[in-house]
Amino acid sequence: GRGGGGAGPVLFGKAHKKVFTILIDAIGAVEPIRSAAMRSQITGVLMKIDIKEGQDVNQGDLLFEIDPRPLQNALLSAKADREKIRVQLENARTQVVRYQKLSAESMVSKEQFQQIQDNERALLAQSLASDATVANAELQLQYCSIRAPISGRTGNMSVTEGDLVRANDAGAMVTTN
């Protein structure tokens, strides 16, 4: 017999370029690039949930709707108070003009005229405050619609329709990553 050491056959072929996938199983953690936890800025009853868990959402998409009726009523009340103050201010301005002539003719004391002017200034300040109250009531009403601050995928929801949500609860209603 032959004792080895002889040359083996040499095979050759044409090289081919191929793309193939290598999968490596490993333990790890995935961190989102951005994450946003949605909380209510008002207290109210959650009327509608407009998303599902694990849904992809775009920035600005409606996620939750809170009962707007109490805040609509607050806005109407603020507008009515503002209108009342505007009427009082208009009346005070008319009085200032009227009493200015009387003061010039010494038909009314300087103290009385000063009091009428002070009343006008106080009502002007109240008018500015009532404008701010209306603007705040409008803003609160906008908070009834909770929208996605970022685009991403929603996680688990901690609320259901009919829940009473509170302003700035510690727990998020849903997180978007």
Side-chain angles (χ1 to χ4, degrees):
R2 294 172 100 174
V10 175
L11 302 173
F12 61 93
K14 200 172 211 180
H16 296 286
K17 191 174 185 179
K18 269 186 168 179
V19 176
F20 60 96
T21 304
I22 299 176
L23 297 176
I24 300 173
D25 287 331
I27 297 173
V30 176
E31 299 248 349
I33 297 170
R34 290 180 70 196
S35 183
M38 266 56 76
R39 293 176 178 84
S40 179
Q41 292 183 278
I42 59 168
T43 297
V45 176
L46 183 59
M47 301 259 314
K48 188 174 179 194
I49 298 175
D50 295 287
I51 55 165
K52 292 182 174 49
E53 290 180 349
Q55 178 180 332
D56 289 329
V57 295
N58 293 313
Q59 183 176 4
D61 284 354
L62 186 61
L63 306 178
F64 302 99
E65 296 175 61
I66 297 171
D67 185 2
R69 292 174 299 179
L71 296 169
Q72 288 168 338
N73 293 339
L75 177 58
L76 289 173
S77 178
K79 285 181 175 181
D81 287 345
R82 179 178 66 181
E83 189 57 32
K84 176 180 143 193
I85 290 168
R86 285 180 176 174
V87 168
Q88 291 173 340
L89 178 59
E90 189 178 314
N91 184 44
R93 286 180 173 155
T94 303
Q95 281 191 331
V96 166
V97 171
R98 183 180 319 130
Y99 278 83
Q100 193 168 24
K101 291 176 187 174
L102 293 174
S103 179
E105 297 170 3
S106 298
M107 305 276 295
V108 68
S109 71
K110 289 182 181 179
E111 291 81 16
Q112 282 179 301
F113 182 57
Q114 184 65 48
Q115 186 177 6
I116 290 167
Q117 286 178 315
D118 290 346
N119 184 45
E120 179 198 20
R121 281 195 297 276
L123 284 166
L124 179 59
Q126 286 180 23
S127 178
L128 294 172
S130 70
D131 288 343
T133 301
V134 168
N136 187 53
E138 288 171 340
L139 180 62
Q140 294 295 310
L141 188 56
Q142 288 177 12
Y143 290 154
C144 288
S145 299
I146 300 173
R147 298 185 176 279
I150 62 171
S151 296
R153 181 166 290 164
T154 60
N156 295 334
M157 278 188 271
S158 64
V159 291
T160 59
E161 289 178 356
D163 284 354
L164 176 66
V165 293
R166 300 190 191 289
N168 299 311
D169 266 346
M173 296 168 74
V174 71
T175 300
T176 301
N177 294 311

